[in-house]
Amino acid sequence: MAEHDFAIVGTDLLAGLLAGVLARDHGKKVMRIGRRRSPQRLWRSLPVALPLATRPASWKMVRESERETRALLGSMGIPDACGEVEAALVADRDESRAALDHLVHVAAGFGHQVRHVEGGWVLRRVAMLDRERLEQRMSEWLRAAGVTMADEGPADAAVTVLADDAAILDGLDEARRPALLIPQAMTTTQIVCPRPLPAGVLRFVDRGVTLVARPGSTVLAFAAGEADVEARLGASLPGPFPMKRLATTRYRSIATSDGAPMFGRPKGTKVFIAAGMGDCAPFFAPALGRLLAGVTDGEEKAWFAAHDASRPRERVADFAAVEGAA
Amino acid sequence: MNQPRRLAAGAAHQFGGIAIDRSKPLQFRIDGRRVAGFAGDTVLSALLAAGIDGYGTFGSAVLGLGERFAPLVQVRGGQALPMDRLLAADGMDLQTIGARRLFHQGRTLGHRIAGIAAPPWTQQGVETTLAVDVLVVGGGVAGLAAADAAACAWHSVVLAERRTWLGGDARYFGPVGDEASPESVSADLIARVHGHGAITVMTAAEVFALHGTTAHLHRIVDGAGHVVAVSAKRVVLATGSRQRLPLFGGNRLPGVTSAIAAYHMAKRHGVMPGRKTVVATQSNYGYRLAMRLHDAGVAVPRVVDTRINPQSRFVDFAKASGLHLAGGVQPLSAAAGRSGLTLQFANSGTATRTIEIEADALVVSGPFYPDLSLWMLAGGWTQWRDGGLRARGTLEHIVLAGAAVGYRSLAACVASGPAALAQAFGTRADSIEDFELGAPYETPEAPTPIAPPTGTEPAFYDWGTSLISRPDPQWKPPLTPHAQAPTLGDVAASVDLGLTAAADAGAVAEERGAPGADIVASVWNAPASAPQPQSARWLSQRFGDATEELHLVVDGKRRFMRGALVYANDRRGDPTAAIGVIIREGEPAGGVALISSVALRKADRFVVEALDGPSPARIKRD
């Protein structure tokens, strides 16, 4: 008999929120394995509820998850940890522009206000989590929920959940990783940017570059892939050039080659993975909690079933912007 | 001309200044003010000798001048040069670069500091390129020994030293037991290096970029700056160490200086920190400096030590010299007083004020940490070990030597030079014993003193240009904490304060300490085709197994936008209930829709929900 029902492995927000939800809302014995990253470290993901999805069912999940996450944060005593931001999606290729046209119509159908800009679209009032506020509150909340916490180490749990990209890359060797999961070289760079960005979040889907406005006239730039990183950044930033770089980190993330999230146990493994959710990952904590606790039903159950790691993917394949897979 | 901070020519311990020639006085102007000095002074040392020790204001904080923290200067219209590497010359007419108050006097240059820009030479083209076998960066004992060993092995060598002189910091620590003195070791090594024709020595030469084994350095020769590229087969980084800044409010005020800077300023240029100087230390070497300042004529009213009842030969000598010592005490705050600084000290680890002294200057001693800036710039890693950041991993053809590795004793630093060279060339090196002779009998040094917040003045993490300070609700820095690249000292202070996990310290240092070159404008064209065919993948089975393409219209004019959702006439509102989607605009009107075959059996009237509003639609029959 394992000591815990679940071991949630991961340092990112989803891992913490999921551990707390399972313990507090579903009465599970949970261990969270993963050291909190110091606030001085550069971000490796952007917690924003903006899926690169064209399928209505996925948008419905995200919008519902966003509503639930706001409620979750309220119950954690940090309702202001979810803010809103204008997010622009820009494409260079015709086929990507087509995907964005489809995306924004679905987003508008779920209540987003959108407007057309050169090369793409702007979505207003997109939910974005305040990572610092959440991280500050997380440990205390998890302790209160009865979650056991460890920086690292083996898990004595009935189910081990690899809840972020680093955990999957560390915990599943390539041979056991589903072929659809593509490791991606990533760079996050912080840059002095005296000119304001046209939107708080600016995502160039074909360049694999996402820019996020940060305090102090700075911008965080996420660049996927290893080829032409400098050229893609230089082409995406507003200038004036040269722009001073303040910090840089390189790491690997995981994307799915078909652009759709993937959940479940890969064949031949005993671990549960949650991958390919992109920027939306932390918002999935309430729904993933229900799935893991076995209390999901209706459309949600069907959506997770369709995205199961062992199922065919034709019905869920989506817009994939995988750059520089390595 | 008044030089109130100049020590007497015959001051004890050569604190009259070994680098200056008092028989050759000089005068120059800076921002219109006349400053006197002597041949051998740098512009910075002459300013400090004249009692000008303030850089300006940073928000509401007043900051002192120092090595690595001073405005650049230029002769009108000329090059921008660093005042700590520029030798003063008679008749110079200099202007400092940066925003400053027009009318100011007294001890400050009156700048309004709003961030320190990268020096212009980092963007300058290379004037000269040298190709050598070995580049040694750092002219301390380890670098000198490495250069000497390289030349003895018939290698051509460039030795680049940032300061205007060779020898490094070894002299500060003094001789131990029967070991040869740092003075004689340094002098011997310097003579050997100068005796080798194969070694090109460059002083006042700061390496600012390192790409593989090619370094770019900025060198000042005869008052002019030059950018030189040195392409080497091997690089030895003997970059030494830096001294941590104890954390207390007002720790960067004019008059507060590091022990190592105070030592060199006195020894090289005969400049004292202040007529009345308090020394605050956490190691035994602080006592050595205090005694020397005292012997040289500086009033030292108190030597405070973080450690309770420290044991050291230097402590005994200091007592015998009549110095007033206070153990278990550390700086609590410094504030500008009526005639200098008002210094408050507290029992170590408390906020209980025990001593208050008015003085001209406060010399503070902190632990030394390896200077790994170039190591990180070259792609090297660091990790937190033994209470500080140390180098981790290896770099191809680039090696570390001396205090940069973490060696502490003179003998180990000297031995590490040839050993590093051997490592660089893949040959066998002798093992190095790093044994501090006095250590068993002496109280070890304490960590960096950290005072509780006092809320009066900001407490900065480190010396230098990063200007990162302890978070304080009463002090709003003009720069966000990430606006300047942090030093390893900044990162270490953040760890000491519990703001950065020790396990993350190396990563933070790498991410922020060596962020990479500036980003330049670029044009990027998307590859002609997508990496994978995906034009219809995201529409695959969206509307069931069978779909049809149909041209929908409402009238002869309106076009339907691509992506607009198509609903059966009675099912609008929920996108999951859409039965189709417009995949391209129609000609001359309407749009071509992909629609579920199943749904088509039940509906022949539709609503197209576009962003510009809903529209009824029907199938266009040709």
Side-chain angles (χ1 to χ4, degrees), chain A residues 35 38 40-42 55 60 101-102 105 121 190 207 231 235 241-243 245-249 314-315 319-320, chain B residues 482-483 494 499-501 504 507 511-512 515 517-519 521-522 524 534 537 540-541 545 562-564 574 611:
Chain A
R35 190 171 47 77
S38 297
Q40 292 82 5
R41 298 289 304 275
L42 285 176
R55 293 188 182 264
K60 190 169 192 173
D101 289 348
H102 285 268
H105 278 86
W121 296 88
Q190 188 171 24
R207 299 178 202 178
F241 295 96
M243 298 180 79
R245 205 189 304 246
L246 294 170
T248 298
T249 187
E314 289 81 13
R315 287 181 179 276
F319 176 51
Chain B
H482 47 254
S494 186
L499 302 173
T500 298
D504 276 343
E511 288 177 1
R512 300 190 176 274
D518 291 351
I519 294 172
S522 176
W524 184 81
Q534 55 175 294
R537 185 174 59 192
S540 161
Q541 299 199 23
D545 292 331
R562 181 169 60 185
D574 180 356
L611 296 173

Side-chain angles (χ1 to χ4, degrees), chain A residues 8-19 32-37 42-47 129 131 134-135 138 142 163-167 222 251 278-279 281-282:
Chain A
I8 311 296
V9 187
T11 56
D12 220 337
L13 294 176
L14 172 64
L17 291 172
L18 179 58
R32 192 248 172 124
I33 300 173
R35 190 171 47 77
R36 179 188 166 189
R37 200 169 276 138
L42 285 176
W43 293 0
R44 295 182 172 208
S45 63
L46 179 64
L129 300 181
R131 183 183 293 275
L134 243 170
E135 292 278 17
M138 189 74 82
L142 289 175
D164 67 19
D165 293 352
F222 298 84
Y251 53 97
D279 297 338

Side-chain angles (χ1 to χ4, degrees), chain A residues 84 88 166:
Chain A
E84 288 174 342

